[in-house]
Amino acid sequence: MERIVFFGAEPESLAGRLVRACSRLSGVRAEVTLRFPLAIVSLHPDRGGRTAVRSAARALCSGFEKNLVSTDGIDPAGTVIAALARRGLTLATAESCTGGLVSHMLTSVPGASSVLRLGVVAYANEAKTGVLGVRPVTLERHGAVSRPTALAMLAGALSAGSCDCAVATTGIAGPSGGTRTKPLGLVFVGAAVPGARRVVRRRFEGRSREGFLALASTEALMLLLALIGESGRQS
């Protein structure tokens, strides 16, 4: 059996598309499980044997490449830990809206201590400035939930942890606090690796607070994985 893990901003929709894709596979038995916010495909040998399983796995990984987490059943946190450990890189987290969930996901993985050096929950603006070194003028001009603040949180995490890599999250989990320009479910997640830093804007609309936290935390890990992959291809 092979277990392939996928992630998308709309996990339910992703699972539905995977079900349809699996229905077109031949020679295998395929099961799709939604383990929010992940969609997991289990491939079992049928009349096509192991050859059909490998062929089906390649087809799914190619068709859903942007959503792929791992081909060995490992979740995003475990995949991050393994990828950083292989490269001898260290990591720090700077979280606001996710309240430490990213760090919790990482420390749930055996061997995380070889990679994770620092986890900061900077929920208040005073913590962002005092602990992470976010400039007050950045918060005044752009607000806590913004691309410049997320970038500054990344820089602060890298410095405070003396690390190679970092992730950052800042957003509005709800169920209150949104505005017209910064609605509920808005989040900026950032990641940094040697030679590259990136912040993306996402909105997880209509989600419960718990759903938002799970999606935002996983999105941060997926962004880090993407940067690790890009840096590996360039080296």
Side-chain angles (χ1 to χ4, degrees), residues 43-205:
L43 296 173
H44 305 266
D46 199 358
R47 62 184 183 279
R50 293 296 305 167
T51 299
V53 168
R54 288 191 290 269
S55 177
R58 285 195 298 270
L60 289 174
C61 291
S62 175
F64 294 85
E65 183 178 7
K66 292 183 178 180
N67 303 104
L68 180 63
V69 177
S70 73
T71 58
D72 52 11
I74 307 298
D75 65 15
T79 306
V80 163
I81 295 296
L84 294 179
R86 283 195 302 271
R87 293 163 175 78
L89 299 174
T90 54
L91 175 66
T93 65
E95 301 179 66
S96 183
C97 61
T98 49
L101 183 56
V102 176
S103 290
H104 172 71
M105 293 164 72
L106 291 166
T107 55
S108 297
V109 179
S113 59
S114 67
V115 168
L116 185 63
R117 282 193 175 176
L118 176 75
V120 174
V121 177
Y123 216 65
N125 284 351
E126 293 80 4
K128 292 180 178 67
T129 57
V131 178
L132 293 174
V134 178
R135 297 171 62 199
V137 68
T138 299
L139 294 168
E140 291 166 6
R141 289 179 179 174
H142 304 284
V145 181
S146 66
R147 189 180 306 273
T149 295
L151 280 169
M153 291 172 67
L154 279 177
L158 289 167
S159 176
S162 298
C163 292
D164 306 300
C165 308
V167 294
T169 63
T170 180
I172 306 170
S176 61
T179 66
R180 183 180 61 81
T181 57
K182 295 186 179 181
L184 293 178
L186 175 65
V187 63
F188 290 89
V189 300
V193 299
R197 299 182 189 184
R198 186 177 302 164
V199 172
V200 298
R201 181 188 188 275
R202 297 285 185 264
R203 187 183 178 196
F204 302 118
E205 190 174 2

